[in-house]
């Protein structure tokens, strides 16, 4: 799959990297398809649906972790980087999947989780054996705070909290030191300052590339560089711990490590192997710095700012009302900042976020279909690489979550526990989590109208979300007006019109309305994209109206037509504008 193999394998283009106009489809293996009826999805289950992926027209699959893991964080706690967890299959199954995808012109991107390992990884087991073990310095160890007794509350070396509502340090009794974990205590952070750690990571990456995978989605990769001096942070009112992010989200050696990774792993390999950095908390300048050139080490960021617009600052699990003008403003900021240098992902949900239609759309029966389409159209005709999530193509809605016992995810469970310890009302916390929890994304994909939704087990690890029969692949495949067909058309549109990959983005000012309207412009052509992101009709602002009267027949559209001066609920479309149209203020 080198650059020269352009025409024959259908996977490469010489003029620009495939991902600029491409669509990546994330598979969360636990919930995709279960081939052996044990309640958990698996690799043979994925293999049985590769034709669906090909029909949809995606360019690549990002596969969430399938490595051996004790599954405290559903595979994001890896205990062996060079194998497949027997729950998901075997290395042979993985090879078969790579081959089946490649035969269909689809790449496979592996999840690379190397900010931390599982506490059951042999490196950590060795590191715990004694203070002078050769793996000790592969992790981040510190003594108890001076004047305290190790293991007692407050003795932690710093006051940092983990991202899973616990202290970020755990006491290791037999060697009398703390180790750092930014996530669960079963996910100790690797010490990237140690060159042996970096060597080991580069070797395992090469091992997967040699096996035929086409790149990596790098889990929280911007957290890998920690400062040498770890100091207390600020504990905001109402919080139990300090947020470590200011110290770790762009650590002192991050650019150096990523450039070194490029140098050591990628210089002698084809330039179409993709490196996607999951990068919570990066600024636009930092994102640009890491994705400016191939040598920087990342081809795109996967950042979170637009996922935080409807969240209480500093608390991703507390919802606030979504403001479309604020969302629009944030999307515009990133479009402009990375217009000529750097690259961004376009996404609205994944395994860590609630379902897109339940969050930015309107899942009620009257608006579900049009809103799923409108939101997709508004997001995915921007500049960037689309990263969509399994089930999104049929407009899957969130999980059925009623009581604390319905939550499985470690982050939700820890959050509920911490809230109870702080004396918060459980009903209120459950109501917030019902909207924000990661559990929402993790229900089995609804393939058919059969009782098991075609997932493959009637007692899956997460119950199938309550849904009408229309929200299944089976029902939508035969309905040309379905969300599924709309996604297929949108993916194709992105590939056909290079203005979507290359054009400058100009967000049009629609004031405080929930209308998102923007232009995509190259010297040769201008595309206008308009979406009423609300369940009410909206009058069309004057300048937008002038543009719309000049627009050509829509290339793609959703929702009813409400006349020239008004947009129907969730009406959305994209069209070309002729040269002399009024356009809009930037
Ligand atoms: C980000 C992953 O997407 C998430 O699922 C995981 O819990 C954390 N990183 C820790 O690996």
């Amino acid at each position: 799959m080198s650059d020269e193999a352009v025409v024959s394998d259908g996977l490469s283009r010489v003029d620009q990297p495939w991902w600029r106009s491409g669509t990546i489809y994330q598979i969360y293996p636990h919930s995709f398809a279960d081939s052996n009826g044990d309640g958990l999805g698996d690799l043979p289950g994925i293999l049985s649906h590769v034709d669906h992926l090909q029909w949809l027209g995606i360019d690549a699959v990002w596969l969430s972790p399938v490595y051996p893991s004790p599954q405290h964080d559903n595979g994001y706690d890896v205990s062996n980087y060079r194998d497949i967890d027997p729950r998901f299959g075997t290395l042979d199954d993985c090879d078969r999947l790579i081959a089946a995808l490649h035969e269909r012109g689809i790449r496979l991107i592996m999840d690379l989780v190397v900010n931390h390992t599982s506490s059951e990884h042999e490196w950590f087991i060795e590191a715990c054996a004694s203070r002078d073990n050769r793996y000790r310095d592969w992790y981040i160890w510190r003594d108890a705070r001076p004047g305290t007794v190790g293991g007692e509350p407050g003795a932690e070396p710093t006051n940092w909290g983990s991202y899973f509502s616990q202290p970020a340090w755990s006491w290791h009794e037999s060697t009398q030191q703390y180790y750092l974990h930014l996530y669960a205590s079963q996910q100790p952070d690797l010490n990237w300052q140690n060159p042996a750690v970096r060597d080991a990571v580069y070797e395992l990456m090469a091992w997967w590339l040699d096996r035929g995978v086409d790149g990596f989605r790098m889990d929280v990769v911007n957290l890998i560089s920690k400062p040498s001096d770890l100091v207390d942070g600020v504990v905001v009112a109402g919080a139990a711990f300090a947020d470590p992010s200011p110290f770790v989200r762009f650590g002192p050696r991050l650019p150096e490590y990523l450039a070194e990774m490029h140098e050591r792993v990628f210089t002698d390999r084809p330039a179409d192997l993709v490196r996607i950095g999951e990068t919570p908390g990066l600024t636009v300048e930092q994102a640009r710095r890491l994705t400016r050139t191939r040598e920087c080490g990342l081809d795109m960021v996967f950042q979170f700012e637009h996922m935080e617009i409807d969240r209480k600052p500093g608390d991703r699990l507390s919802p606030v009302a979504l403001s479309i003008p604020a969302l629009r403003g944030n999307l515009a900021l990133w479009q402009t900042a990375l217009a000529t240098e750097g690259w961004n992902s376009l996404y609205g949900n994944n395994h860590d976020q609630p379902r897109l239609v339940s969050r930015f759309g309107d899942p009620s029966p009257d608006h579900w279909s049009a809103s799923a389409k409108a939101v997709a159209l508004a997001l995915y005709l921007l500049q960037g690489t689309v990263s969509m999530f399994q089930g999104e193509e049929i407009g899957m809605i969130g999980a059925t979550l009623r009581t604390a016992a319905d939550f499985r995810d470690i982050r939700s469970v820890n959050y509920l526990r911490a809230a109870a310890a702080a004396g918060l009302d459980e009903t209120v916390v459950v109501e917030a989590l019902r909207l924000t929890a990661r559990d929402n994304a993790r229900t089995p994909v609804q393939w058919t109208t059969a009782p098991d939704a075609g997932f493959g087990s009637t007692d899956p690890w997460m119950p199938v979300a309550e849904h009408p029969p229309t929200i299944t692949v089976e029902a939508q495949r035969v309905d040309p007006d379905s969300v599924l067909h709309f996604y297929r058309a949108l993916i194709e549109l992105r590939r056909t019109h290079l203005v979507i990959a290359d054009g400058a983005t100009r967000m049009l000012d629609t004031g405080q309305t929930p209308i998102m309207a923007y232009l995509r412009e190259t010297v040769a052509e201008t595309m206008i994209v308009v979406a009423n992101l609300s369940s009410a009709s909206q009058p069309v602002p004057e300048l937008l109206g002038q543009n719309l009267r000049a627009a050509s027949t829509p290339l793609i559209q959703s929702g009813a037509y409400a006349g020239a001066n008004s947009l129907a609920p969730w009406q959305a479309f994209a069209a070309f504008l002729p040269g002399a149209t009024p356009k809009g203020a930037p």
Side-chain angles (χ1 to χ4, degrees):
M1 242 174 288
S2 69
D3 274 351
E4 294 79 53
V6 189
V7 189
S8 57
D9 65 4
L11 290 173
S12 305
R13 292 164 42 160
V14 269
D15 50 346
Q16 60 172 353
W18 63 267
W19 54 81
R20 285 179 69 95
S21 54
T23 298
I24 297 172
Y25 181 101
Q26 183 194 356
I27 291 184
Y28 194 65
H30 301 68
S31 308
F32 192 69
D34 177 10
S35 73
N36 58 1
D38 66 355
L40 194 70
D42 46 40
L43 294 177
I46 300 173
L47 267 160
S48 68
H49 287 293
V50 285
D51 288 340
H52 168 72
L53 303 175
Q54 183 181 24
W55 178 86
L56 189 57
I58 55 146
D59 297 86
V61 163
W62 148 27
L63 181 60
S64 276
V66 286
Y67 314 104
S69 160
Q71 302 286 329
H72 290 288
D73 187 17
N74 282 9
Y76 284 92
D77 45 333
V78 179
S79 56
N80 178 357
Y81 291 101
R82 299 182 192 216
D83 205 349
I84 300 293
D85 194 301
R87 296 172 179 92
F88 295 124
T90 62
L91 275 173
D92 282 347
D93 292 330
C94 189
D95 291 341
R96 270 195 289 278
L97 180 62
I98 296 170
L101 291 173
H102 284 180
E103 273 163 30
R104 289 163 178 78
I106 300 172
R107 296 174 157 81
L108 181 65
I109 300 166
M110 292 299 268
D111 215 312
L112 181 73
V113 190
V114 288
N115 171 68
H116 45 267
T117 67
S118 159
S119 52
E120 293 181 27
H121 195 290
E122 62 176 0
W123 300 338
F124 191 69
I125 293 170
E126 287 285 331
C128 287
S130 68
R131 283 202 190 195
D132 56 10
N133 186 282
R134 62 180 279 250
Y135 287 98
R136 183 75 173 179
D137 192 38
W138 283 44
Y139 295 85
I140 300 170
W141 299 92
R142 291 288 185 277
D143 293 333
R145 194 179 282 266
T148 63
V149 177
E152 296 202 344
E156 292 85 7
T158 68
N159 60 357
W160 298 0
S162 87
Y163 297 119
F164 288 164
S165 313
Q166 298 166 316
W169 296 96
S170 283
W171 178 244
H172 188 249
E173 182 62 27
S174 68
T175 58
Q176 295 284 297
Q177 277 192 315
Y178 282 95
Y179 65 89
L180 179 70
H181 51 89
L182 293 177
Y183 292 89
S185 55
Q186 299 89 347
Q187 292 167 296
D189 279 51
L190 282 164
N191 175 18
W192 274 68
Q193 288 190 15
N194 183 340
V197 168
R198 308 205 297 277
D199 287 348
V201 170
Y202 305 152
E203 280 163 23
L204 75 91
M205 290 173 77
W207 188 86
W208 279 104
L209 293 171
D210 290 345
R211 239 187 152 90
V213 307
D214 304 291
F216 299 99
R217 173 270 185 185
M218 302 180 191
D219 190 69
V220 292
V221 74
N222 61 314
L223 306 184
I224 58 179
S225 165
K226 316 295 191 289
S228 300
D229 283 338
L230 304 181
V231 296
D232 281 344
V234 178
V235 183
V236 298
F241 309 104
D243 177 6
S245 305
F247 305 101
V248 299
R249 69 184 155 209
F250 197 91
R253 297 181 65 186
L254 177 64
E256 174 198 331
Y257 294 155
L258 292 174
E260 180 184 78
M261 180 189 283
H262 170 79
E263 170 72 27
R264 294 276 302 279
V265 183
F266 293 97
T267 30
D268 297 329
R269 293 182 188 266
D272 59 357
L273 298 173
V274 69
R275 296 88 42 93
I276 306 163
E278 191 207 21
T279 49
L282 279 202
T283 64
V284 285
E285 291 77 22
Q286 290 166 340
R288 194 163 50 217
R289 188 163 160 206
L290 300 181
T291 57
R292 213 164 33 87
T293 65
R294 181 112 176 125
E295 289 68 35
C296 295
L298 295 182
D299 298 304
M300 71 189 84
V301 290
F302 193 99
Q303 54 80 28
F304 287 59
E305 282 189 4
H306 65 300
M307 292 280 103
E308 283 160 12
I309 305 278
D310 58 350
R311 297 290 180 259
K312 207 169 122 192
D315 183 359
R316 285 204 190 122
L317 295 179
S318 288
V320 298
L322 173 67
S323 152
I324 298 296
L327 176 67
R328 216 167 54 203
N330 184 263
L331 293 171
L333 170 81
W334 282 84
Q335 290 287 296
T336 311
L338 300 187
T340 50
E341 266 191 339
W343 198 251
N344 199 0
S345 305
L346 303 172
Y347 73 95
N349 50 192
N350 61 27
H351 67 294
D352 292 335
Q353 303 287 342
R355 289 279 176 189
L356 185 53
V357 67
S358 301
R359 181 174 183 179
F360 290 177
D362 178 346
S364 69
D366 282 354
H367 297 296
W368 161 75
S369 172
S371 74
K373 294 173 189 171
V375 169
L377 185 136
L379 261 184
Y380 296 154
L381 294 181
L382 291 166
Q383 186 172 48
T385 301
V386 170
S387 186
M388 59 178 290
F389 183 56
Q390 65 187 33
E392 181 186 335
E393 72 272 33
I394 53 167
M396 272 178 66
I397 53 181
T400 313
L401 303 164
R402 295 199 177 92
T403 70
D406 293 333
F407 294 87
R408 306 267 191 292
D409 173 29
I410 185 169
R411 187 170 81 166
S412 310
V413 170
N414 283 4
Y415 189 81
L416 279 159
R417 197 175 293 143
L424 301 184
D425 179 349
E426 186 178 283
T427 339
V428 175
V429 180
V430 166
E431 180 51 23
L433 284 179
R434 199 178 61 72
L435 298 173
T436 59
R438 309 197 294 187
D439 305 72
N440 276 301
R442 301 181 176 185
T443 60
V445 171
Q446 296 144 201
W447 296 102
T448 70
T449 48
D452 70 346
F455 175 64
S457 38
T458 42
D459 188 19
W461 75 282
M462 253 317 264
V464 173
E466 286 171 11
H467 65 279
T470 39
I471 311 187
T472 57
V473 174
E474 183 182 46
Q476 293 190 29
R477 191 59 200 267
V478 294
D479 173 7
D481 193 33
S482 63
V483 176
L484 178 60
H485 279 264
F486 187 87
Y487 264 81
R488 185 172 188 242
L490 195 56
I491 292 166
E492 178 60 23
L493 192 76
R494 288 179 50 83
R495 190 173 297 129
T496 316
H497 297 289
L498 288 183
V499 66
I500 301 168
D502 298 341
T505 305
R506 245 204 299 173
M507 199 60 80
L508 299 177
D509 184 2
T510 50
Q512 286 310 301
T513 72
I515 299 172
M516 182 146 137
Y518 55 85
L519 303 177
R520 303 299 318 281
E521 300 172 294
T522 60
V523 176
E525 54 192 3
T526 300
M527 181 181 279
I528 186 163
V529 178
V530 179
N532 171 10
L533 299 180
S534 80
S535 299
S537 295
Q538 300 293 333
V540 174
E542 175 51 27
L543 186 58
L544 181 58
Q546 289 174 34
N547 279 303
L548 293 187
R549 280 186 282 280
S552 62
T553 313
L555 301 154
I556 185 166
Q557 58 185 322
S558 100
Y561 178 67
N565 300 321
S566 167
L567 291 171
W570 303 104
Q571 188 184 342
F573 52 86
F576 280 115
L577 287 184
T581 313
K583 312 267 165 75

